[in-house]
Structure formats: C-alpha cells, structure tokens
Amino acid sequence: MSPEIVSDTTEEKAILTRCIASKAPIGRPLQILEAGCGNKWQLKLSDINYTLTGVDVDKEAVDLRQRQHNDLHEVIIGDLRTVEMPAQSYDVIYTAYVLEHVGNIERVLDNFQTWLKPGGLLIIKVPDRDTVYGFMARMTPHWVHIWYYRLIKGNKNAGKPGYLPYPTVYDPALGQQALRRFCRHNGLAVKAIFGKNNYLRKRSFRDRVIRIFVQLMSLFSFGRLAWHYNDLIYIIEKNRENSD
Ligand SMILES: C[S@@+](CC[C@H](N)C(=O)[O-])C[C@H]1O[C@@H](n2cnc3c(N)ncnc32)[C@H](O)[C@@H]1O
C-alpha cells in the first residue's frame, strides 16, 4: 500500500504535534518516552505539558544531548530489547531512525506494546527498506554510509563517537507488511502511515543526478522499489481492551 506523502518537515511536525497533543491528559503531564533518543529531539511541543524520558544504548550521544540541549527529564541507558521498564507507563512512545539499526525488532515492539498505556500512541519513523534509498542502504557497507553523510549531507562529524550514522541492520520484520502483521496480532492498531522524502530536497546539480539515478533504479526494479519517498512514519495506537 502506498503511504500518504507529507510535503515537508513543517507538515510532518504539525501532524505529529497534533497526534501527540490529542493524547494530553487533564491534570497531569503527558508521559513521553523517546526510544533511541540520541543527541537531539526533533519536535517542539511548546503548548503541551509533558515529561520526556530518553532511552538509548549510546551514553556518549545522550551525554552530548544533555550538554547541548538538557531537554530530557529522565535518562535511561539501555538496549531497547532488554532494558527493564514498568508496564503501561507511557502515553506516547516516539522513535525516529532507530529500528533500522536494531536486529530482532519484534522484541523492541513487544516492549513498546508493554510500556504503552492502553490507548497510548506509538510513533515510529524509519527509512522504508523497500525503497531505492533503503535498498542502497542495505546493500552498501557502513563506511559508504559515513562518506555519504560527510560528502552528500555535509556532516563533518559523521562517524565520530555519539554522531550519525550508526550501522544499519534493516530487520526483515521492519517491512511494511510485517510491521502491520505484528500490530494486528499484538493489540496495536495502525491509524496512518505517511511517507516522506528526506533525501531529494534540494535543486542542485548533484541532487538532479541522484534523482535520475534513483528513478532508474526504481524502473529496473519494475516499480517494486519506490524512489519518491524514503522515510515512513507510522501512527499506531494501543488498543484499550488490551491491557496486559
Ligand atoms: C540514527 S540515531 C537517531 C537519534 C534520534 N532518534 C534522532 O532522530 O536524531 C539512532 C539512535 O538509536 C540508538 N540505538 C541503536 N540501537 C539501539 C538499541 N538497541 N537500544 C537503544 N538505542 C539504540 C543509537 O544509539 C542512536 O542514538
């Protein structure tokens, strides 16, 4: 199924902020878990009363974030597959660009399901493994990703401790069909899926060359690999009656 495409980051942030705000309870702060929080938080929730807990396996990245932004109310260092957290403690779990780096993601998804309160919201942002972008990321070694970040994205710290990119795994369970199936069988309802183009944004000569390349790749895959977006944003809700 083709996702609904969001035009830019402003539209994406407006959608996510609206979804998160819809979960704000009366009389207490919204409990948000940022899973794989890394060194920065992409959202600005200025009109919402919330408490933000960050969990990440990379202490250096979280230390860097707290030094630069100091925006986490609580920090937990641990692996999303094994870290212990109380059941039903979060209204919202937000995870961006994390699951493509983790093997056996069903353990992570199981944990998200457990940590969410009934009716809680799970937002997963992840590169789609079945796009030209995802395919290229899966087929190339990590050092190519580092040089892509340095040369194409202009990130001079790429690959240094605490900085992107992290090695990718792209667990098959991360495919759109597999993720939908997991949700169906585990008391989670997929409310919406958005696609976003996060790599073909500029109009430089280099971007035009990349555009032609990815269009050709998509053509050679008989349209199986999409080129016009690379990220998927899943809006998922935990069923109310499923309160283990
Ligand atoms: C690409 S960064 C994304 C950081 C941040 N979410 C963002 O959107 O900028 C991936 C993050 O996932 C974390 N990570 C990777 N595998 C993890 C795991 N198994 N458990 C917890 N965190 C993990 C990394 O340490 C890193 O901070």
Side-chain angles (χ1 to χ4, degrees), residues 34-42 55-58 61 65 78-81 94-98 100-102 108 149 164-166:
E34 194 190 355
C37 58
N39 62 20
K40 62 178 183 297
W41 167 240
Q42 309 285 353
V55 55
D56 201 292
V57 76
D58 184 350
R65 172 166 171 163
D79 188 309
L80 292 169
R81 292 164 293 195
Y94 172 88
T95 188
Y97 301 125
V98 177
E100 71 273 27
H101 303 288
V102 184
V108 180
Y149 269 70
L164 308 177
Y166 290 82

Side-chain angles (χ1 to χ4, degrees), residues 36-77:
C37 58
N39 62 20
K40 62 178 183 297
W41 167 240
Q42 309 285 353
L43 297 176
K44 279 202 175 55
L45 304 174
S46 37
D47 295 332
I48 303 172
N49 176 19
Y50 66 92
T51 301
L52 184 61
T53 301
V55 55
D56 201 292
V57 76
D58 184 350
K59 186 174 181 315
E60 293 202 56
V62 185
D63 286 349
L64 186 66
R65 172 166 171 163
Q66 291 299 72
R67 271 200 309 279
Q68 290 180 345
H69 307 287
N70 195 25
D71 60 350
L72 294 170
H73 301 99
E74 190 189 358
V75 170
I76 299 168
I77 302 299

Side-chain angles (χ1 to χ4, degrees), residues 67-179:
R67 271 200 309 279
Q68 290 180 345
H69 307 287
N70 195 25
D71 60 350
L72 294 170
H73 301 99
E74 190 189 358
V75 170
I76 299 168
I77 302 299
D79 188 309
L80 292 169
R81 292 164 293 195
T82 51
V83 68
E84 300 271 331
M85 277 195 255
Q88 300 189 5
S89 20
Y90 296 100
D91 301 293
V92 176
I93 297 179
Y94 172 88
T95 188
Y97 301 125
V98 177
L99 294 187
E100 71 273 27
H101 303 288
V102 184
N104 199 358
I105 62 151
E106 293 204 345
R107 287 182 66 186
V108 180
L109 296 172
D110 269 335
N111 281 337
F112 287 168
Q113 207 278 352
T114 303
W115 299 335
L116 266 183
K117 294 176 194 275
L121 188 69
L122 170 60
I123 298 173
I124 298 176
K125 182 171 178 180
V126 71
D128 185 353
R129 69 196 298 287
D130 299 316
T131 56
V132 174
Y133 183 97
F135 177 78
M136 294 304 294
R138 283 189 283 132
M139 293 301 144
T140 48
H142 184 56
W143 63 264
V144 172
H145 304 174
I146 294 178
W147 283 103
Y148 174 79
Y149 269 70
R150 285 189 188 164
L151 298 178
I152 308 285
K153 295 186 119 181
N155 181 346
K156 61 181 186 330
N157 288 319
K160 295 184 187 165
Y163 289 91
L164 308 177
Y166 290 82
T168 48
V169 176
Y170 283 100
D171 189 324
L174 205 49
Q176 210 186 124
Q177 296 309 323
L179 205 55

